[in-house]
Amino acid sequence: MPPNWKPVIEPTSVDKIATGDFDPKKHIQYEPPSKVHTMKDLNLPENTGISSVAVSEPFPLFSTDAIHRMRAEVLSKDVWDNCQYSSNLAQCQLRGFASKYAPFVYDTWKHPETLAIISKVAGVELVTEMDFEIAHINISVKSDKQREEEVQAFVDKKAFDEDEGIAGCPWEDDKPIVDWHTDSYPFVCVTMLSDCTSMIGGETALRKGNGEIVKVRGPGMGCAVVLQGRYIEHQALRALGTTERITMVTSFRPRCPNLPDDTVLTTVRPISNLSELYSQYSEYRLEILEERVRAQLRGFRDNKRDGKKLNVQAMKDFIRKQEEFLRDMNKEMISEELVTMGSIDDSHLLTLKDDGAKVKRRRVK
């Protein structure tokens, strides 16, 4: 991080900004997205994932005051000193901070109205994944000199390409903020915390089922994008023309315990406090199992009371699915001594290349 870095929006100290709890009437400024792209639009099987929704266009979500409140908490000394991580996918990330150091951020994402908005855009009722994932912050910063040099290089290359009639990948694609990956969790909401007025680039690139790459415009400050990122390979492209790009990524899973929970810990395990991560992961997965067992037991008792015979095959199918659920859960909880912090392998990717040419897509799980 540059030694004299200053955010585009100066972080106001917590004691100088508006106080009080999160208030949706004041802090939410939601407008529906102009378009929502489906899994079919991306040439992905329509039965992939937990919703037909793939990704939304950016949409207004939070007020300027809410963003200032979030920035004040995210950029606080406690968060930077205790919650900073880096990996081979991204250089600077803040994680697992909200429940301890950012009450406004925590309450924002836990509020029923916020959850209702994200669920509506996603096309399925969602809840936050777990407290440790409220929220994940990706940070890219540079000095004023670096910003000016990058913009000039971009302008020079664009002029050269136009003169030569060259069509190719944009210059900013070679150094993404976050490289190609799938998310560990079913859905994410990506919220922009930076001023994007002079930003060039900063889109999210998505890999379609046929291998083609499409881009979704990056959100402006206070705006958000909803993405079913567990099932879609994507990368955050570099942004030019600004000294910072700070995004807040909040993860979600289905509220209904009977919907699939394809959560994996591949991309988050090496950038987490494993004790906290495993504890919260275990708790919510066991709660899902508990709800499923209780529902099955109610049905069993109702049938018994009505004098119906036990459907043995249906019971065996239920047991088999729960065995798979527990087996997947056990697989994700790798012993701490076997985890290399900061190192994320490519097992999260859905596409493999044969001899650098043909792209094959593999199934989730």
Side-chain angles (χ1 to χ4, degrees):
M1 196 164 82
N4 298 317
W5 170 66
K6 291 184 178 180
V8 173
I9 306 171
E10 293 287 346
T12 309
S13 60
V14 177
D15 61 344
K16 292 182 180 180
I17 62 175
T19 58
D21 297 334
F22 172 75
D23 182 350
K25 293 181 180 179
K26 291 169 48 181
H27 298 125
I28 288 181
Q29 291 187 348
Y30 170 66
E31 295 178 19
S34 60
K35 182 177 176 59
V36 173
H37 304 274
T38 65
M39 301 297 272
K40 184 179 180 180
D41 293 336
L42 298 186
N43 297 111
L44 296 172
E46 293 184 64
N47 62 351
T48 300
I50 60 172
S51 170
S52 63
V53 171
V55 61
S56 74
E57 289 292 330
F59 60 92
L61 183 56
F62 297 118
S63 69
T64 300
D65 178 58
I67 296 301
H68 277 274
R69 295 280 298 273
M70 292 176 183
R71 286 180 61 97
E73 292 185 338
V74 167
L75 300 175
S76 68
K77 186 176 186 301
D78 283 338
V79 172
W80 280 96
D81 288 350
N82 299 292
C83 306
Q84 189 172 169
Y85 296 87
S86 65
S87 74
N88 53 302
L89 287 184
Q91 291 299 307
C92 185
Q93 301 163 312
L94 303 173
R95 294 175 45 76
F97 60 87
S99 62
K100 298 177 184 176
Y101 306 117
F104 184 86
V105 170
Y106 185 86
D107 291 345
T108 296
W109 293 110
K110 283 292 190 178
H111 197 280
E113 190 161 335
T114 308
L115 292 173
I117 289 170
I118 304 305
S119 297
K120 182 177 181 179
V121 176
V124 60
E125 192 171 7
L126 300 171
V127 294
T128 51
E129 178 71 29
M130 47 185 145
D131 283 359
F132 194 83
E133 298 299 343
I134 306 175
H136 171 113
I137 308 295
N138 287 318
I139 297 180
S140 173
V141 296
K142 62 196 74 167
S143 66
D144 288 332
K145 182 179 180 182
Q146 288 174 315
R147 178 194 63 186
E148 293 166 2
E149 290 174 346
E150 286 184 348
V151 171
Q152 188 58 51
F154 174 80
V155 171
D156 292 345
K157 186 176 188 303
K158 183 178 180 182
F160 175 82
D161 289 352
E162 289 175 350
D163 288 344
E164 298 296 321
I166 298 172
C169 293
W171 177 81
E172 68 268 27
D173 288 8
D174 61 348
K175 295 180 181 178
I177 296 170
V178 183
D179 210 345
W180 285 110
H181 67 288
T182 57
D183 296 329
S184 285
Y185 310 117
F187 267 97
V188 295
C189 179
V190 183
T191 306
M192 179 61 71
L193 302 186
S194 296
D195 183 353
C196 304
T197 305
S198 59
M199 187 179 293
I200 302 171
E203 303 99 333
T204 297
L206 309 173
R207 181 174 281 134
K208 298 172 65 174
N210 60 6
E212 294 179 3
I213 307 300
V214 296
K215 295 179 183 178
V216 174
R217 180 171 54 89
M221 188 181 74
C223 295
V225 167
V226 169
L227 169 69
Q228 195 168 188
R230 174 71 184 94
Y231 312 96
I232 305 169
E233 284 184 348
H234 55 283
Q235 68 174 183
L237 300 180
R238 188 161 40 136
L240 309 180
T242 180
T243 56
E244 67 159 48
R245 183 183 187 272
I246 303 178
T247 55
M248 175 178 289
V249 183
T250 310
S251 298
F252 299 86
R253 55 182 171 85
R255 178 182 291 275
C256 176
N258 294 321
L259 284 176
D261 176 35
D262 290 331
T263 291
V264 294
L265 303 180
T266 312
T267 58
V268 298
R269 197 185 297 114
I271 51 171
S272 298
N273 178 316
L274 289 179
S275 177
E276 287 189 59
L277 183 72
Y278 286 170
S279 176
Q280 294 180 22
Y281 174 71
S282 298
E283 183 175 13
Y284 96 75
R285 293 278 289 195
L286 291 175
E287 286 175 349
I288 290 176
L289 184 61
E290 180 183 29
E291 289 187 62
R292 291 177 178 178
V293 170
R294 288 187 182 278
Q296 185 73 10
L297 182 58
R298 283 194 299 270
F300 171 80
R301 286 173 172 165
D302 289 345
N303 289 338
K304 185 177 180 181
R305 185 176 59 249
D306 294 341
K308 297 179 181 179
K309 290 180 61 176
L310 172 67
N311 185 331
V312 176
Q313 187 56 53
M315 180 62 77
K316 288 174 69 68
D317 288 343
F318 172 79
I319 293 170
R320 176 182 53 79
K321 290 178 181 178
Q322 307 327 305
E323 287 177 338
E324 292 174 356
F325 182 84
L326 288 169
R327 185 163 55 248
D328 290 340
M329 182 177 171
N330 185 43
K331 179 183 175 183
E332 294 305 318
M333 299 176 66
I334 297 175
S335 297
E336 190 166 351
E337 61 269 18
L338 300 178
V339 177
T340 302
M341 299 304 291
S343 178
I344 299 172
D345 63 31
D346 64 359
S347 63
H348 57 95
L349 295 175
L350 299 177
T351 54
L352 299 171
K353 290 185 178 180
D354 293 340
D355 299 326
K358 187 177 179 181
V359 175
K360 289 185 175 181
R361 183 173 175 87
R362 55 188 178 191
R363 293 172 59 87
V364 173
K365 295 250 181 157

